[in-house]
Amino acid sequence: MFGHYWWLIFVFGGSIGGAWRRALAANQRRIDRREERYRLKQQTKIAVAQAKAQGHVDAQTQRREIAKAIGEHEQTDARWFGYEMDLVTLLDFPMMTDMREPLTVDFHKARHRADLLRPTDPESMVGDQPALSEYREAVHTYTITFDVAEAEAKRRRRGNFTPEEQERLVRAQRLLRLALDDAATAQERQNAYLKARKELDGLIVLPSSARAQLEHRIAGQIEA
């Protein structure tokens, strides 16, 4: 039967061929779109993975920076506590607590600021770059101002005091050694401490933490 209509190929052949080509083209476009969607998905997955990896690296870097800043903070604290808790040594370098000195004021202000900015939980600072930068800068300032104040205190020693005031410092230092001497009696230590306070009155102010510790030791011996 088809043999009788072979001539239709010449009539509809072009249309059939065009439709076939359009179908092939449409199918290819679907394949291309599917491949493009797959490519975009893969690129998105890669980008997300890279972002997570970079975020992990950044977080680790920040943790190291936080630990480094806290370490520097603690080292400078330890240097200061060496004066604050050793009253005898402090009297060799009284400028370290002399708040009439601008360098001493700068150091103590910087120490206070660093303490305020120090995170109670270091992990809370991860991801907060402004807070980290502010704390790191505060610690750096604390260390630098301490270095400057300490160098000047060692250079001056008791040079800013009159000869009479220097004698009072020497007597106070001798009395504090007695107050700290466990071999002395409780009464001797207490009297020595009170006399030392009197000698220092109007000259320098003893750090409250060291004063409290010494008073506690003396009180404990009296109670014993």
Side-chain angles (χ1 to χ4, degrees):
M1 179 179 177
F2 179 75
H4 296 290
Y5 299 98
W6 58 270
W7 52 272
L8 292 174
I9 294 174
F10 297 101
V11 177
F12 299 105
S15 299
I16 295 172
W20 177 253
R21 285 191 295 273
R22 287 193 296 274
L24 288 176
N27 188 55
Q28 185 61 45
R29 286 195 296 273
R30 283 193 296 273
I31 293 173
D32 291 343
R33 285 195 298 271
R34 187 162 57 246
E35 290 179 348
E36 179 66 12
R37 286 195 298 270
Y38 176 77
R39 184 179 65 81
L40 291 174
K41 286 181 180 179
Q42 291 302 109
Q43 288 180 342
T44 300
K45 289 180 180 179
I46 292 172
V48 169
Q50 289 176 338
K52 287 182 178 179
Q54 184 61 45
H56 180 71
V57 170
D58 289 345
Q60 289 298 95
T61 299
Q62 288 185 349
R63 288 187 179 95
R64 286 193 294 270
E65 291 178 352
I66 294 167
K68 183 178 179 181
I70 291 175
E72 182 181 351
H73 193 162
E74 291 176 344
Q75 288 175 2
T76 307
D77 275 348
R79 293 170 63 193
W80 159 240
F81 292 155
Y83 293 98
E84 186 181 38
M85 302 308 295
D86 186 349
L87 300 180
V88 174
T89 299
L90 178 62
L91 292 185
D92 281 329
F93 313 104
M95 179 184 150
M96 294 302 290
T97 58
D98 188 352
M99 301 306 285
R100 297 170 300 178
E101 292 291 338
L103 294 179
T104 305
V105 173
D106 289 345
F107 148 58
H108 284 282
K109 285 173 63 177
R111 180 171 69 89
H112 181 64
R113 176 170 172 75
D115 287 344
L116 284 177
L117 293 175
R118 178 171 179 166
T120 53
D121 177 12
E123 196 65 22
S124 67
M125 193 171 278
V126 176
D128 191 346
Q129 188 60 47
L132 170 55
S133 298
E134 188 177 23
Y135 173 57
R136 186 172 52 200
E137 181 61 28
V139 171
H140 181 66
T141 301
Y142 172 31
T143 302
I144 293 299
T145 54
F146 178 86
D147 287 343
V148 172
E150 182 182 47
E152 186 64 11
K154 289 183 175 180
R155 185 186 72 81
R156 296 186 190 181
R157 295 183 69 87
R158 298 170 182 153
N160 281 9
F161 296 88
T162 66
E164 182 183 353
E165 289 173 338
Q166 290 183 33
E167 290 177 5
R168 289 173 58 188
L169 288 171
V170 171
R171 286 196 297 270
Q173 192 175 48
R174 185 170 59 249
L175 288 165
L176 284 174
R177 284 195 179 98
L178 177 57
L180 291 165
D181 187 359
D182 291 333
T185 67
Q187 192 62 47
E188 287 174 335
R189 294 176 65 182
Q190 186 177 42
N191 289 339
Y193 173 65
L194 293 175
K195 289 179 181 179
R197 289 285 302 273
K198 186 176 180 180
E199 291 287 356
L200 295 174
D201 187 31
L203 291 181
I204 66 170
V205 177
L206 296 177
S208 58
S209 54
R211 191 174 66 247
Q213 183 185 61
L214 178 54
E215 290 173 356
H216 179 72
R217 285 174 61 181
I218 294 173
Q221 189 176 34
I222 292 174
E223 291 172 0

